[in-house]
């Protein structure tokens, strides 16, 4: 298959995208970006992508483990401090880290009490299991772990919907990557595979999928475009 030549707008926009990533101060974004790039190289350089499913799964597990090993993501801080914080030996325990541990204990307690129906979108979770070291505005309507947020707010069907959305997006992306004849669209397909898996990694430290409105808009556009491409290619194959 022919190689794709990046358009000029993409080349000109790349420095801005890199600067936005670096200045975001979010360790989860950095680690997810590195993971996605490694996954792109892993899949793109292998003739049969299916052979890389096991190594890719190990890479996902490794990225999640790295995020867990450096502790929870705190608020924005200067770039130098954020880079230094990537080292596990430099991470100091603080109230923000303690809060997330206690938050998860309380959320799991609520899920045990309401495993099927959940609490509902507008119902805050209570701190009955573990007292909180501090309080955030609207903090009890949020969970720093996306699957738990879906389970807590929407019940077991919400948890299933989260995984179905991610799995469906990855399958659509994979189909576009493997079946599209156009090199640019194939590049979009493999980029979507890796970005969605990177989003899963980020969702282990903060809730983005289905929770952050800005990301939801972009994710909806991406999934819609993938669905159109996959459907068009299938109709062309039938004809």
């Amino acid at each position: 298959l022919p190689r794709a030549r990046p358009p000029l707008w993409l080349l000109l926009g790349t420095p801005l995208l890199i600067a936005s990533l670096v200045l975001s101060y979010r360790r989860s974004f950095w680690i997810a970006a590195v993971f996605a790039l490694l996954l792109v190289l892993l899949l793109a350089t292998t003739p049969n992508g299916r052979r890389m499913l096991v190594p890719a799964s190990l890479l996902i597990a490794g990225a999640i483990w790295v995020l867990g090993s450096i502790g929870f993501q705190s608020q924005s801080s200067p770039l130098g401090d954020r880079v230094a914080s990537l080292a596990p030996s430099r991470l100091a325990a603080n109230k923000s880290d303690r809060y997330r541990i206690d938050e998860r204990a309380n959320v799991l307690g609520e899920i045990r009490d309401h495993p099927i129906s959940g609490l509902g979108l507008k119902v805050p979770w209570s701190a009955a299991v573990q007292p909180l070291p501090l309080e955030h505005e609207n903090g009890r309507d949020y969970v720093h772990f996306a699957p738990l947020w879906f389970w807590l707010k929407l019940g077991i069907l919400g948890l299933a919907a989260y995984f179905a959305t991610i799995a469906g997006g990855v399958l659509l992306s994979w189909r576009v990557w493997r079946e599209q004849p156009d090199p640019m669209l194939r590049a979009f397909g493999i980029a979507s595979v890796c970005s969605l898996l990177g989003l899963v990694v980020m969702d282990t430290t903060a809730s983005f999928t289905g929770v952050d409105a800005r990301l939801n808009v972009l994710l909806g556009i991406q999934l819609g475009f993938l669905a159109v491409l996959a459907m068009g290619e299938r109709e062309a194959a039938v004809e």
Side-chain angles (χ1 to χ4, degrees):
L1 292 175
R3 291 180 177 272
R5 290 186 177 182
L8 181 61
W9 62 265
L10 181 59
L11 296 176
L12 294 177
T14 298
L16 177 61
L17 293 175
I18 294 176
S20 299
L21 175 65
V22 172
L23 297 176
S24 69
Y25 301 145
R26 289 182 175 268
R27 294 176 297 199
S28 57
F29 278 79
W30 293 358
I31 293 173
V34 172
F35 155 75
L37 289 174
L38 291 175
L39 193 57
V40 167
L41 293 175
L42 187 67
L43 294 175
T45 56
T46 304
N48 187 351
R50 292 193 180 114
R51 296 177 182 175
M52 291 294 103
L53 289 178
V54 173
S57 299
L58 294 176
L59 191 58
I60 295 173
I64 294 174
W65 178 83
V66 169
L67 274 177
S69 69
I70 63 174
F72 295 104
Q73 172 184 294
S74 59
Q75 298 297 319
S76 298
S77 62
L79 183 59
D81 293 343
R82 177 60 69 229
V83 172
S85 72
L86 288 172
S89 60
R90 295 292 301 275
L91 184 70
N94 53 48
K95 288 186 177 180
S96 295
D97 295 336
R98 183 72 250 173
Y99 173 86
R100 296 198 181 199
I101 295 173
D102 295 338
E103 172 198 84
R104 187 162 301 180
N106 288 308
V107 168
L108 289 174
E110 293 279 25
I111 290 175
R112 283 193 295 269
D113 293 338
H114 308 86
I116 305 300
S117 62
L119 290 180
L121 289 175
K122 296 298 183 178
V123 181
W125 47 267
S126 65
V129 175
Q130 187 70 34
L132 299 173
L134 50 87
E135 289 281 355
H136 297 290
E137 184 178 358
N138 300 321
R140 298 198 185 189
D141 289 322
Y142 184 80
V143 183
H144 289 87
F145 190 74
L148 289 184
W149 185 92
F150 275 83
W151 196 354
L152 176 72
K153 295 297 183 178
L154 303 173
I156 193 66
L157 292 180
L159 179 64
Y162 170 80
F163 287 112
T165 300
I166 296 297
V170 171
L171 289 175
L172 283 175
S173 304
W174 187 278
R175 184 182 301 170
V176 170
W177 172 44
R178 304 303 294 180
E179 298 178 0
Q180 272 289 335
D182 185 273
M184 286 299 298
L185 296 180
R186 293 183 72 244
F188 174 70
I190 190 174
S192 295
V193 170
C194 300
S195 65
L196 287 170
L197 294 177
L199 181 58
V200 172
V201 172
M202 293 195 309
D203 277 341
T204 63
T205 60
S207 295
F208 296 101
T209 306
V211 180
D212 188 289
R214 296 163 297 180
L215 185 138
N216 289 341
V217 172
L218 296 176
L219 182 61
I221 294 172
Q222 181 183 17
L223 294 178
F225 190 32
L226 288 167
V228 170
L229 292 176
M231 182 181 299
E233 189 59 29
R234 173 160 292 188
E235 290 177 352
V238 171
E239 294 176 358

